[in-house]
Amino acid sequence: MDIAKIWADTGLLNRGIVIFLILMSITSLTVAIWKWLQFRRMATATKQFAPAFSAALESENIPEALALADQYPKSHVARVLGESLREVAPLLSDPRAAGAAIVSCERSVEREQILLANELKSGLGILATIGSTAPFVGLLGTTLGIVNSFMGMSEKGGGLEAVSGGIAEALIATAIGLVAAIPAVWLYNYFTAKLDTLFSELAYAGREMIDWMMTRQARREVGGATYGD
């Protein structure tokens, strides 16, 4: 296959379509690299943050827990739990506000998860769009190339052999469209699965912190009842 000859024989419109498909492929790879690095940084930061944060909560060292959340801004768990804990921290010192603190923490965790979900989903729409539209863009280039080939045959005469080269060149657009679309679909599915895992981690971590608050309050109530007796 002589790529230079195929390109030289391709019409201007089909050249534009091929260039557009190549740009779509480059865009999808760029988004994929960016998302992969983002998720990797988040996973690394979370592995360092989670054990230290749990230890700080178990020792009821709220200032240290908040400092850890600020120390690992790349961690999705640190962002959600840190903001939620910061919101309810003033209520934790008052036993009478324990119920309000737990409810407020649940709402804060849910709110932060929604905000983070919108942020993490950025870029995935580009992959989905490229994966769904690139084959049709390539098909458009193929259709235009075949139409041009048959128009040339009607004007200059000749049989199918005269236009077989042009048809083969036109089919290149479909091939490039598939090459752009298939990785984009795979990458979209991969990052969607990663997001599901991240949201599961967030739900578990949020539930753990709320359970800690409920256990903490139960201990206070038992201790207060024992002291009262």
Side-chain angles (χ1 to χ4, degrees):
M1 182 182 297
D2 191 342
I3 302 298
K5 182 179 183 304
I6 292 175
W7 181 255
D9 294 337
T10 301
L12 291 178
L13 186 57
N14 264 1
R15 287 186 182 183
I17 290 175
V18 169
I19 292 173
F20 183 61
L21 287 171
I22 292 173
L23 291 176
M24 291 174 71
S25 182
I26 293 173
T27 300
S28 67
L29 292 176
T30 302
V31 171
I33 293 172
W34 165 53
K35 298 301 292 184
W36 183 80
L37 291 174
Q38 181 185 27
F39 288 165
R40 184 179 181 183
R41 287 193 296 265
M42 290 169 58
T44 301
T46 299
K47 287 180 180 178
Q48 298 172 353
F49 164 78
F53 185 80
S54 297
L57 288 184
E58 288 300 323
S59 62
E60 298 194 10
N61 192 338
I62 306 301
E64 181 182 353
L66 293 175
L68 285 169
D70 294 334
Q71 184 179 347
Y72 295 97
K74 299 296 183 181
S75 169
H76 55 297
V77 176
R79 172 174 170 179
V80 172
L81 298 190
E83 290 299 323
S84 301
L85 184 61
R86 184 172 288 105
E87 183 173 324
V88 302
L91 302 176
L92 294 178
S93 58
D94 187 356
R96 297 170 298 177
I102 293 173
V103 173
S104 177
C105 185
E106 290 177 337
R107 293 178 177 175
S108 179
V109 167
E110 183 178 355
R111 182 174 61 251
E112 291 298 327
Q113 286 178 346
I114 293 173
L115 294 175
L116 184 60
N118 291 331
E119 180 180 320
L120 294 180
K121 288 179 180 178
S122 63
L124 296 186
I126 296 175
L127 294 178
T129 300
I130 292 175
S132 60
T133 59
F136 296 103
V137 176
L139 183 60
L140 173 62
T142 296
T143 302
L144 294 175
I146 292 175
V147 169
N148 289 334
S149 295
F150 279 102
M151 287 180 62
M153 184 175 67
S154 65
E155 293 175 357
K156 301 178 182 178
L160 185 60
E161 295 81 0
V163 296
S164 59
I167 294 175
E169 294 161 5
L171 291 173
I172 294 296
T174 296
I176 296 176
L178 293 174
V179 168
I182 292 173
V185 173
W186 286 349
L187 291 168
Y188 174 80
N189 292 333
Y190 169 77
F191 288 119
T192 300
K194 290 290 289 183
L195 280 178
D196 291 340
T197 302
L198 291 177
F199 294 148
S200 297
E201 292 175 356
L202 286 174
Y204 178 82
R207 190 69 257 173
E208 282 288 301
M209 189 169 74
I210 293 170
D211 289 345
W212 167 78
M213 294 176 62
M214 296 175 67
T215 303
R216 179 175 180 268
Q217 179 59 21
R219 288 173 179 170
R220 283 189 169 188
E221 292 175 356
V222 171
T226 301
Y227 181 78
D229 293 340

mmCIF file of all heavy atoms in Angstrom, residues 99-126:
data_model
loop_
_atom_site.group_PDB
_atom_site.id
_atom_site.type_symbol
_atom_site.label_atom_id
_atom_site.label_comp_id
_atom_site.label_asym_id
_atom_site.label_seq_id
_atom_site.Cartn_x
_atom_site.Cartn_y
_atom_site.Cartn_z
ATOM 1 N N GLY A 99 -26.942 14.412 67.086
ATOM 2 C CA GLY A 99 -27.888 13.989 66.048
ATOM 3 C C GLY A 99 -27.843 14.891 64.831
ATOM 4 O O GLY A 99 -27.828 14.422 63.688
ATOM 5 N N ALA A 100 -27.788 16.194 65.073
ATOM 6 C CA ALA A 100 -27.708 17.149 63.965
ATOM 7 C C ALA A 100 -26.397 16.990 63.211
ATOM 8 O O ALA A 100 -26.357 17.135 61.973
ATOM 9 C CB ALA A 100 -27.844 18.574 64.494
ATOM 10 N N ALA A 101 -25.315 16.674 63.926
ATOM 11 C CA ALA A 101 -24.021 16.506 63.276
ATOM 12 C C ALA A 101 -24.034 15.304 62.338
ATOM 13 O O ALA A 101 -23.501 15.359 61.222
ATOM 14 C CB ALA A 101 -22.932 16.344 64.330
ATOM 15 N N ILE A 102 -24.661 14.214 62.760
ATOM 16 C CA ILE A 102 -24.706 13.008 61.925
ATOM 17 C C ILE A 102 -25.521 13.255 60.669
ATOM 18 O O ILE A 102 -25.118 12.905 59.556
ATOM 19 C CB ILE A 102 -25.278 11.832 62.738
ATOM 20 C CG1 ILE A 102 -24.307 11.450 63.859
ATOM 21 C CG2 ILE A 102 -25.544 10.633 61.830
ATOM 22 C CD1 ILE A 102 -24.857 10.419 64.826
ATOM 23 N N VAL A 103 -26.674 13.897 60.825
ATOM 24 C CA VAL A 103 -27.515 14.204 59.659
ATOM 25 C C VAL A 103 -26.805 15.165 58.721
ATOM 26 O O VAL A 103 -26.815 14.997 57.497
ATOM 27 C CB VAL A 103 -28.868 14.789 60.120
ATOM 28 C CG1 VAL A 103 -29.683 15.266 58.912
ATOM 29 C CG2 VAL A 103 -29.654 13.752 60.899
ATOM 30 N N SER A 104 -26.160 16.178 59.296
ATOM 31 C CA SER A 104 -25.439 17.149 58.477
ATOM 32 C C SER A 104 -24.280 16.492 57.742
ATOM 33 O O SER A 104 -24.010 16.808 56.573
ATOM 34 C CB SER A 104 -24.918 18.278 59.367
ATOM 35 O OG SER A 104 -24.164 19.207 58.615
ATOM 36 N N CYS A 105 -23.602 15.549 58.403
ATOM 37 C CA CYS A 105 -22.490 14.853 57.763
ATOM 38 C C CYS A 105 -22.982 14.007 56.598
ATOM 39 O O CYS A 105 -22.349 13.963 55.542
ATOM 40 C CB CYS A 105 -21.779 13.989 58.794
ATOM 41 S SG CYS A 105 -20.289 13.188 58.159
ATOM 42 N N GLU A 106 -24.095 13.310 56.768
ATOM 43 C CA GLU A 106 -24.639 12.496 55.679
ATOM 44 C C GLU A 106 -24.957 13.352 54.461
ATOM 45 O O GLU A 106 -24.647 12.993 53.326
ATOM 46 C CB GLU A 106 -25.893 11.765 56.158
ATOM 47 C CG GLU A 106 -25.615 10.670 57.170
ATOM 48 C CD GLU A 106 -26.889 10.025 57.680
ATOM 49 O OE1 GLU A 106 -27.951 10.679 57.596
ATOM 50 O OE2 GLU A 106 -26.831 8.873 58.160
ATOM 51 N N ARG A 107 -25.584 14.490 54.707
ATOM 52 C CA ARG A 107 -25.934 15.383 53.588
ATOM 53 C C ARG A 107 -24.686 15.971 52.945
ATOM 54 O O ARG A 107 -24.626 16.112 51.713
ATOM 55 C CB ARG A 107 -26.847 16.498 54.098
ATOM 56 C CG ARG A 107 -28.221 16.017 54.542
ATOM 57 C CD ARG A 107 -29.060 17.160 55.087
ATOM 58 N NE ARG A 107 -30.396 16.704 55.449
ATOM 59 C CZ ARG A 107 -31.304 17.472 56.041
ATOM 60 N NH1 ARG A 107 -31.017 18.740 56.336
ATOM 61 N NH2 ARG A 107 -32.487 16.983 56.340
ATOM 62 N N SER A 108 -23.703 16.311 53.765
ATOM 63 C CA SER A 108 -22.473 16.892 53.223
ATOM 64 C C SER A 108 -21.719 15.880 52.374
ATOM 65 O O SER A 108 -21.201 16.216 51.302
ATOM 66 C CB SER A 108 -21.593 17.378 54.371
ATOM 67 O OG SER A 108 -20.391 17.920 53.883
ATOM 68 N N VAL A 109 -21.636 14.632 52.832
ATOM 69 C CA VAL A 109 -20.960 13.595 52.054
ATOM 70 C C VAL A 109 -21.656 13.404 50.716
ATOM 71 O O VAL A 109 -21.007 13.306 49.665
ATOM 72 C CB VAL A 109 -20.929 12.271 52.847
ATOM 73 C CG1 VAL A 109 -20.522 11.112 51.950
ATOM 74 C CG2 VAL A 109 -19.961 12.378 54.018
ATOM 75 N N GLU A 110 -22.975 13.364 50.748
ATOM 76 C CA GLU A 110 -23.724 13.185 49.497
ATOM 77 C C GLU A 110 -23.506 14.359 48.552
ATOM 78 O O GLU A 110 -23.311 14.172 47.346
ATOM 79 C CB GLU A 110 -25.209 13.043 49.813
ATOM 80 C CG GLU A 110 -26.073 12.787 48.590
ATOM 81 C CD GLU A 110 -27.535 12.605 48.944
ATOM 82 O OE1 GLU A 110 -27.863 12.587 50.159
ATOM 83 O OE2 GLU A 110 -28.352 12.492 48.022
ATOM 84 N N ARG A 111 -23.504 15.562 49.092
ATOM 85 C CA ARG A 111 -23.312 16.753 48.267
ATOM 86 C C ARG A 111 -21.916 16.775 47.653
ATOM 87 O O ARG A 111 -21.755 17.051 46.450
ATOM 88 C CB ARG A 111 -23.533 18.002 49.106
ATOM 89 C CG ARG A 111 -23.401 19.310 48.317
ATOM 90 C CD ARG A 111 -23.780 20.501 49.161
ATOM 91 N NE ARG A 111 -22.934 20.663 50.333
ATOM 92 C CZ ARG A 111 -23.323 20.438 51.580
ATOM 93 N NH1 ARG A 111 -24.538 20.004 51.824
ATOM 94 N NH2 ARG A 111 -22.488 20.607 52.595
ATOM 95 N N GLU A 112 -20.903 16.467 48.439
ATOM 96 C CA GLU A 112 -19.533 16.473 47.927
ATOM 97 C C GLU A 112 -19.330 15.382 46.888
ATOM 98 O O GLU A 112 -18.574 15.563 45.927
ATOM 99 C CB GLU A 112 -18.545 16.295 49.078
ATOM 100 C CG GLU A 112 -18.464 17.472 50.033
ATOM 101 C CD GLU A 112 -17.997 18.742 49.354
ATOM 102 O OE1 GLU A 112 -17.175 18.641 48.418
ATOM 103 O OE2 GLU A 112 -18.458 19.824 49.736
ATOM 104 N N GLN A 113 -19.993 14.254 47.060
ATOM 105 C CA GLN A 113 -19.894 13.187 46.074
ATOM 106 C C GLN A 113 -20.474 13.626 44.736
ATOM 107 O O GLN A 113 -19.928 13.309 43.676
ATOM 108 C CB GLN A 113 -20.613 11.938 46.576
ATOM 109 C CG GLN A 113 -19.864 11.197 47.664
ATOM 110 C CD GLN A 113 -20.640 9.991 48.166
ATOM 111 O OE1 GLN A 113 -21.826 9.838 47.909
ATOM 112 N NE2 GLN A 113 -19.969 9.127 48.898
ATOM 113 N N ILE A 114 -21.588 14.342 44.771
ATOM 114 C CA ILE A 114 -22.204 14.823 43.531
ATOM 115 C C ILE A 114 -21.284 15.812 42.822
ATOM 116 O O ILE A 114 -21.085 15.736 41.600
ATOM 117 C CB ILE A 114 -23.571 15.470 43.834
ATOM 118 C CG1 ILE A 114 -24.559 14.404 44.326
ATOM 119 C CG2 ILE A 114 -24.124 16.174 42.596
ATOM 120 C CD1 ILE A 114 -25.871 14.966 44.806
ATOM 121 N N LEU A 115 -20.708 16.739 43.589
ATOM 122 C CA LEU A 115 -19.804 17.722 42.991
ATOM 123 C C LEU A 115 -18.571 17.049 42.390
ATOM 124 O O LEU A 115 -18.132 17.392 41.287
ATOM 125 C CB LEU A 115 -19.383 18.743 44.045
ATOM 126 C CG LEU A 115 -20.493 19.661 44.591
ATOM 127 C CD1 LEU A 115 -19.958 20.533 45.720
ATOM 128 C CD2 LEU A 115 -21.055 20.531 43.477
ATOM 129 N N LEU A 116 -18.024 16.080 43.120
ATOM 130 C CA LEU A 116 -16.839 15.386 42.635
ATOM 131 C C LEU A 116 -17.165 14.540 41.406
ATOM 132 O O LEU A 116 -16.355 14.434 40.479
ATOM 133 C CB LEU A 116 -16.263 14.511 43.743
ATOM 134 C CG LEU A 116 -14.948 13.788 43.426
ATOM 135 C CD1 LEU A 116 -13.850 14.791 43.094
ATOM 136 C CD2 LEU A 116 -14.524 12.903 44.590
ATOM 137 N N ALA A 117 -18.351 13.939 41.390
ATOM 138 C CA ALA A 117 -18.750 13.115 40.238
ATOM 139 C C ALA A 117 -18.798 13.955 38.973
ATOM 140 O O ALA A 117 -18.333 13.525 37.902
ATOM 141 C CB ALA A 117 -20.096 12.463 40.502
ATOM 142 N N ASN A 118 -19.363 15.151 39.068
ATOM 143 C CA ASN A 118 -19.418 16.026 37.894
ATOM 144 C C ASN A 118 -18.024 16.398 37.411
ATOM 145 O O ASN A 118 -17.773 16.501 36.203
ATOM 146 C CB ASN A 118 -20.214 17.291 38.222
ATOM 147 C CG ASN A 118 -21.686 17.017 38.431
ATOM 148 O OD1 ASN A 118 -22.239 16.077 37.867
ATOM 149 N ND2 ASN A 118 -22.336 17.815 39.261
ATOM 150 N N GLU A 119 -17.112 16.571 38.354
ATOM 151 C CA GLU A 119 -15.737 16.931 37.978
ATOM 152 C C GLU A 119 -15.001 15.758 37.335
ATOM 153 O O GLU A 119 -14.309 15.920 36.330
ATOM 154 C CB GLU A 119 -14.999 17.404 39.220
ATOM 155 C CG GLU A 119 -13.559 17.813 38.966
ATOM 156 C CD GLU A 119 -12.874 18.284 40.227
ATOM 157 O OE1 GLU A 119 -13.526 18.986 41.031
ATOM 158 O OE2 GLU A 119 -11.687 17.954 40.422
ATOM 159 N N LEU A 120 -15.176 14.567 37.903
ATOM 160 C CA LEU A 120 -14.452 13.405 37.396
ATOM 161 C C LEU A 120 -14.990 12.933 36.049
ATOM 162 O O LEU A 120 -14.264 12.278 35.292
ATOM 163 C CB LEU A 120 -14.526 12.258 38.409
ATOM 164 C CG LEU A 120 -13.810 12.480 39.736
ATOM 165 C CD1 LEU A 120 -13.953 11.268 40.634
ATOM 166 C CD2 LEU A 120 -12.339 12.789 39.507
ATOM 167 N N LYS A 121 -16.233 13.236 35.756
ATOM 168 C CA LYS A 121 -16.816 12.804 34.482
ATOM 169 C C LYS A 121 -16.387 13.693 33.315
ATOM 170 O O LYS A 121 -16.659 13.348 32.161
ATOM 171 C CB LYS A 121 -18.338 12.783 34.575
ATOM 172 C CG LYS A 121 -18.882 11.646 35.428
ATOM 173 C CD LYS A 121 -20.401 11.687 35.509
ATOM 174 C CE LYS A 121 -20.942 10.553 36.368
ATOM 175 N NZ LYS A 121 -22.420 10.620 36.499
ATOM 176 N N SER A 122 -15.740 14.804 33.619
ATOM 177 C CA SER A 122 -15.301 15.694 32.548
ATOM 178 C C SER A 122 -14.309 14.977 31.641
ATOM 179 O O SER A 122 -13.392 14.302 32.098
ATOM 180 C CB SER A 122 -14.649 16.952 33.137
ATOM 181 O OG SER A 122 -13.485 16.619 33.863
ATOM 182 N N GLY A 123 -14.506 15.104 30.351
ATOM 183 C CA GLY A 123 -13.649 14.452 29.372
ATOM 184 C C GLY A 123 -14.209 13.152 28.850
ATOM 185 O O GLY A 123 -13.919 12.765 27.712
ATOM 186 N N LEU A 124 -15.028 12.468 29.654
ATOM 187 C CA LEU A 124 -15.589 11.200 29.196
ATOM 188 C C LEU A 124 -16.599 11.404 28.078
ATOM 189 O O LEU A 124 -16.773 10.544 27.214
ATOM 190 C CB LEU A 124 -16.241 10.447 30.361
ATOM 191 C CG LEU A 124 -15.300 9.997 31.481
ATOM 192 C CD1 LEU A 124 -16.049 9.153 32.488
ATOM 193 C CD2 LEU A 124 -14.121 9.215 30.916
ATOM 194 N N GLY A 125 -17.272 12.556 28.100
ATOM 195 C CA GLY A 125 -18.207 12.854 27.016
ATOM 196 C C GLY A 125 -17.501 12.952 25.667
ATOM 197 O O GLY A 125 -18.072 12.582 24.631
ATOM 198 N N ILE A 126 -16.254 13.457 25.684
ATOM 199 C CA ILE A 126 -15.479 13.539 24.439
ATOM 200 C C ILE A 126 -15.190 12.140 23.902
ATOM 201 O O ILE A 126 -15.336 11.880 22.701
ATOM 202 C CB ILE A 126 -14.173 14.312 24.691
ATOM 203 C CG1 ILE A 126 -14.478 15.760 25.084
ATOM 204 C CG2 ILE A 126 -13.274 14.279 23.458
ATOM 205 C CD1 ILE A 126 -13.255 16.567 25.461
#
